[in-house]
Amino acid sequence: MDFTPDEWQAIWLTLRVAVVAVLGSLPLAVAVAWVLSYTRFPGKIVVEALLSLPLVLPPVVTGYALLILLGRHGVIGHFLDRDLGIVLAFRWTGAAVAAAVMGFPFMVRGIRLSFDAIDRDLEGAAASLGAPGWLAFLTVTLPLAFPGLLSGAVLAFGRSLGEFGATITFVSSIPGETRTISSAIYALLQTPDSDSTVLRLCAVSVVLSFGSLLISELLIRAGQRRLAR
């Protein structure tokens, strides 16, 4: 299967966007998942609903919200552009932000479930031995939750690979800059005699997405076996 330079460009850009989206949002996802798992506060159910909102909203709505907030004339984007020289709209970094937003609920949910499954007595034992909270988290909580953390990250990575609606609304489909596999397929569907190219990119998308789901499932099972010991 021979890919053209444009196809390789779309494939590598998709992987790049997905990796940056996951790595950039992972620390925040761990923090949010920990708060949701270990604390109680008024309005917690509202926070949980807001975090899951990208799962049920039309992706174009999420993309439009990002454009309003992070566009060059947006509420936050104007500050980023004027004071920091950071432009996200119509840039590949903006595509990574869109992918991170769409994949964030999957990541938080996976990590939170892993935190919920941890035996609190193990953390209590570390505390009784004089370990401060941050040390108990690093030496007990995080290692026990690590398979779930990886599973959530891989699942978010898979979601980022297929992101389309929010991305094309926020950063458009610019060849070499923001054209990922999904937007490339969409553009090719409007081009005559492009069936073979579309099929190749669809095959790549299926392989990458299936691989992500498979790895995520294997990590979940590994975590369950580890916690059952």
Side-chain angles (χ1 to χ4, degrees), residues 106-183:
F106 293 96
M107 193 185 303
V108 170
R109 183 166 297 184
I111 298 172
R112 181 187 178 181
L113 289 174
S114 188
F115 282 151
D116 289 343
I118 294 174
D119 186 350
R120 298 295 194 261
D121 290 340
L122 296 175
E123 298 168 316
S128 66
L129 294 173
W134 63 269
L135 184 59
F137 175 78
L138 292 178
T139 58
V140 178
T141 306
L142 202 57
L144 289 174
F146 195 65
L149 188 151
L150 284 179
S151 174
V154 172
L155 198 58
F157 177 80
R159 178 63 184 84
S160 299
L161 291 174
E163 167 50 32
F164 174 70
T167 300
I168 201 168
T169 305
F170 182 39
V171 299
S172 188
S173 177
I174 305 170
E177 180 66 34
T178 64
R179 180 162 291 180
T180 59
I181 292 176
S182 298
S183 57

Side-chain angles (χ1 to χ4, degrees), residues 52-109:
S52 299
L53 200 56
L55 298 178
V56 295
L57 273 179
V60 292
V61 174
T62 303
Y64 183 63
L66 289 173
L67 193 59
I68 292 175
L69 291 173
L70 301 176
R72 299 190 73 163
H73 302 290
V75 178
I76 302 173
H78 179 66
F79 163 76
L80 293 176
D81 182 19
R82 182 192 61 193
D83 296 338
L84 302 177
I86 298 174
V87 178
L88 296 175
F90 309 108
R91 300 287 192 275
W92 77 268
T93 48
V97 170
V101 170
M102 297 302 295
F104 195 73
F106 293 96
M107 193 185 303
V108 170
R109 183 166 297 184

